[in-house]
C-alpha cells in the first residue's frame, strides 16, 4: 500500500477518531486531523494514534477559511475525508444556529479550499485526488413500516440537524457537477461503539442505568433505527475512498433494524450479566415525552456498496452491543474526562420550551 496524506476533518470525534485510530494502526498513511475540539471532540479518543509521528492534529474550526487554506498549503493532502459536523438531533432542537454554521458554512469553506487546491494540481495528484463527504441517513426523512433508503431516495429532512446535513450534501454534489471536483458522498445509518459522547442513546442508557438513574425512552420506544458499528462504518468509508466513483453516493448500513426499546432492553440484559444489581435494570426504563418531530423509522439499503465494492458489515448487533456496553463499564474515566468542564450531565436534551 502506497503511503498517502489524508486530511480528516472531525478526527477527534466519535466516527472520526475511530477512522484515525484505524489509519494509524493499519496503514502507512499520514493523517492530518483537523478538529475544533468542541464538547464532542477529544484527544482522549485518539489513543495511541495521538503520539504517532504520522498523525498531525490541527485545532481548527472548519468554517475558518484562512486556517483551512493554510492546512491545504502546508500538508498537500491526497484526499479529504470530511466528517466534522454537529451531529446530535436533540442539540439541534435546542440550538440550531451552530448546526448551520458548522455543517453548512463549514462544508462550503472546505469545498472551496479543496477546489482551489485541486485546481493547482496536475498529473497523478490531480487525477487521484478525492473529497469524501460523510453524511447521514436522516437526510432522507422518515420511513413507514416498509422499504429502505436508497441512494436515489428523495431528500426530506425533518430536524435542524438533518436539514443542515442535507444542505451540506447538496453543496458537495453541486461542487462535483459544477466544478468537476471529485466528490463522493456517503450516507450512513446510526453508529454505535466505543468513544461515543455520552449524550447518545447507548452510552447514555448504560451510564444512567449503572448509576441507578431512570433510563429515558422517547414516546413508547417504537422508533426504529438501523444500527451500524463504527468500525464497520470505517471499513466502508475506506472502501469508498479507494474504489468509489466520483459523483456517486453510497449508503452504508448495518442491516440491524431495532426499535429504541429493543436496544435499551438489550443494554439492560447485558448489564444484568456484566454489572449485576439488586433489581433487573429494565425496571429503570422510563417513557418520556417524545422528541419534537421524531422520525419513525430509518433503514438503509446497502446493496450498491455491497455490489460495487464488496463491502458488508462484519459485526452482529447483539454481540457488538454487549462489547460496547462492556467498554463503557471499563472506561468510566474516559466518560468522566469528556463530560468534565461541559454543561452536560447525562440529562435529556431537545425539550423545546414553549414561549
Amino acid at each position: 500500500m502506497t503511503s498517502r496524506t489524508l486530511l480528516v476533518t472531525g478526527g477527534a470525534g466519535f466516527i472520526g477518531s475511530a477512522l484515525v485510530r484505524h489509519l494509524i494502526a493499519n496503514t502507512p498513511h499520514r493523517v492530518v486531523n483537523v478538529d475544533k475540539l468542541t464538547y464532542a471532540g477529544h484527544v482522549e479518543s485518539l489513543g495511541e494514534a495521538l503520539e504517532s509521528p504520522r498523525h498531525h492534529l490541527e485545532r481548527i474550526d472548519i468554517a475558518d477559511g484562512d486556517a483551512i487554506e493554510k492546512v491545504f498549503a502546508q500538508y498537500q493532502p491526497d484526499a479529504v475525508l470530511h466528517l466534522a459536523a454537529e451531529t446530535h438531533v436533540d442539540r439541534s432542537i435546542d440550538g440550531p444556529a451552530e448546526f448551520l454554521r458548522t455543517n453548512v458554512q463549514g462544508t462550503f469553506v472546505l469545498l472551496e479550499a479543496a477546489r482551489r487546491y485541486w485546481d493547482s494540481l496536475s498529473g497523478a495528484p490531480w487525477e487521484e485526488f478525492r473529497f469524501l463527504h460523510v453524511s447521514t441517513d436522516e437526510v432522507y426523512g422518515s420511513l413507514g413500516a416498509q422499504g429502505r433508503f436508497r441512494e436515489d431516495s428523495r431528500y426530506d429532512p425533518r430536524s435542524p440537524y438533518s436539514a443542515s446535513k442535507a444542505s451540506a450534501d447538496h453543496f458537495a454534489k453541486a461542487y462535483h457537477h459544477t466544478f468537476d471536483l471529485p466528490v463522493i458522498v456517503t450516507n450512513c445509518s446510526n453508529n454505535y461503539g466505543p468513544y461515543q459522547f455520552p449524550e447518545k442513546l447507548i452510552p447514555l442508557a448504560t451510564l444512567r442505568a449503572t448509576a441507578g438513574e431512570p433510563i429515558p425512552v422517547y414516546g413508547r420506544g417504537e422508533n426504529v433505527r438501523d444500527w451500524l458499528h463504527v468500525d464497520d462504518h470505517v471499513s466502508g468509508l475506506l472502501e469508498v475512498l479507494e474504489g468509489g466513483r466520483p459523483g456517486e453516493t453510497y449508503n452504508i448500513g448495518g442491516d440491524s433494524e431495532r426499535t429504541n426499546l429493543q436496544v435499551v432492553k438489550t443494554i439492560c440484559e447485558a448489564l444484568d450479566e456484566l454489572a449485576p444489581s439488586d433489581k433487573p435494570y429494565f425496571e429503570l426504563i422510563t417513557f418520556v415525552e417524545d422528541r419534537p418531530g421524531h422520525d419513525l423509522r430509518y433503514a438503509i439499503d446497502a446493496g450498491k456498496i455491497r455490489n460495487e465494492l464488496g463491502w458488508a458489515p462484519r459485526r452482529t448487533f447483539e454481540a457488538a452491543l454487549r462489547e460496547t456496553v462492556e467498554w463503557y463499564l471499563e472506561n468510566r474515566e474516559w466518560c468522566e474526562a469528556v463530560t468534565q468542564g461541559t454543561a452536560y450531565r447525562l440529562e435529556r436534551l431537545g425539550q423545546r420550551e414553549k414561549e
Side-chain angles (χ1 to χ4, degrees):
M1 181 184 293
T2 303
S3 175
R4 293 190 292 170
T5 296
L6 304 180
L7 172 57
V8 178
T9 70
F14 170 44
I15 302 172
S17 66
L19 174 62
V20 170
R21 293 193 306 270
H22 175 88
L23 288 170
I24 294 300
N26 299 287
T27 77
H29 302 321
R30 181 173 69 153
V31 178
V32 182
N33 182 352
V34 171
D35 199 294
K36 191 178 178 181
L37 298 180
T38 60
Y39 76 95
H42 303 275
V43 295
E44 293 90 346
S45 300
L46 293 165
E48 295 180 0
L50 184 63
E51 304 302 325
S52 171
R54 292 186 290 111
H55 175 255
H56 306 270
L57 178 61
E58 296 285 349
R59 186 172 185 175
I60 290 173
D61 182 347
I62 61 167
D64 183 341
D66 290 340
I68 291 296
E69 292 278 1
K70 290 178 182 177
V71 167
F72 275 94
Q74 178 179 350
Y75 292 103
Q76 301 283 299
D78 298 297
V80 176
L81 295 95
H82 175 36
L83 293 88
E86 293 285 343
T87 64
H88 192 40
V89 173
D90 288 359
R91 283 185 182 268
S92 80
I93 295 170
D94 290 340
E98 191 61 29
F99 286 72
L100 176 67
R101 182 180 184 278
T102 298
N103 298 358
V104 183
Q105 179 70 15
T107 297
F108 165 73
V109 166
L110 196 65
L111 286 165
E112 272 289 279
R115 178 175 69 88
R116 286 191 289 268
Y117 167 73
W118 181 63
D119 283 343
S120 74
L121 301 176
S122 60
W126 182 86
E127 293 176 359
E128 296 171 4
F129 182 82
R130 295 291 183 271
F131 187 109
L132 178 57
H133 173 74
V134 181
S135 189
T136 172
D137 57 1
E138 298 193 35
V139 298
Y140 297 121
S142 184
L143 288 167
Q146 303 296 321
R148 293 185 175 190
F149 295 131
R150 294 165 43 91
E151 288 79 4
D152 57 0
S153 294
R154 182 174 65 92
Y155 273 42
D156 187 21
R158 306 291 190 88
S159 69
Y161 162 61
S162 58
S164 70
K165 290 298 291 184
S167 178
D169 289 8
H170 289 316
F171 265 104
K173 293 174 183 179
Y175 267 63
H176 170 74
H177 291 290
T178 302
F179 304 113
D180 293 323
L181 185 68
V183 171
I184 308 173
V185 175
T186 60
N187 296 88
C188 69
S189 54
N190 270 36
N191 278 225
Y192 69 100
Y195 297 103
Q196 188 171 33
F197 191 73
E199 68 190 1
K200 296 299 181 76
L201 176 62
I202 291 172
L204 177 65
T206 300
L207 296 173
R208 287 186 66 96
T210 53
E213 299 177 358
I215 306 171
V217 175
Y218 289 136
R220 302 304 300 173
E222 297 171 345
N223 302 77
V224 176
R225 298 295 182 262
D226 175 21
W227 292 90
L228 172 69
H229 192 278
V230 66
D231 290 340
D232 281 332
H233 187 196
V234 165
S235 71
L237 292 177
L238 295 179
E239 289 289 348
V240 172
L241 181 66
E242 294 299 323
R245 292 175 288 141
E248 292 294 319
T249 297
Y250 295 87
N251 283 349
I252 307 176
D255 197 24
S256 296
E257 289 184 56
R258 302 290 190 279
T259 67
N260 287 345
L261 184 57
Q262 286 175 317
V263 172
V264 173
K265 284 184 174 179
T266 303
I267 292 170
C268 291
E269 291 169 0
L271 287 172
D272 286 335
E273 296 181 24
L274 297 169
S277 182
D278 294 338
K279 296 181 180 180
Y281 283 99
F282 78 84
E283 293 185 7
L284 293 172
I285 295 174
T286 304
F287 295 106
V288 298
E289 182 181 354
D290 207 354
R291 166 197 292 163
H294 199 178
D295 291 340
L296 176 62
R297 175 174 171 259
Y298 305 145
I300 285 283
D301 180 346
K304 181 176 178 178
I305 188 174
R306 181 180 291 107
N307 295 334
E308 288 193 14
L309 304 178
W311 176 89
R314 293 184 298 168
R315 291 160 179 81
T316 60
F317 179 72
E318 279 70 23
L321 179 59
R322 179 188 171 88
E323 292 175 2
T324 300
V325 170
E326 191 169 15
W327 187 90
Y328 284 104
L329 293 178
E330 295 175 351
N331 291 272
R332 295 177 187 272
E333 290 184 0
W334 178 87
C335 298
E336 292 172 1
V338 300
T339 54
Q340 190 174 26
T342 73
Y344 185 66
R345 294 294 180 268
L346 302 182
E347 74 274 21
R348 176 192 173 185
L349 302 174
Q351 292 176 289
R352 181 183 58 187
E353 299 289 341
K354 292 185 178 180
E355 296 181 358

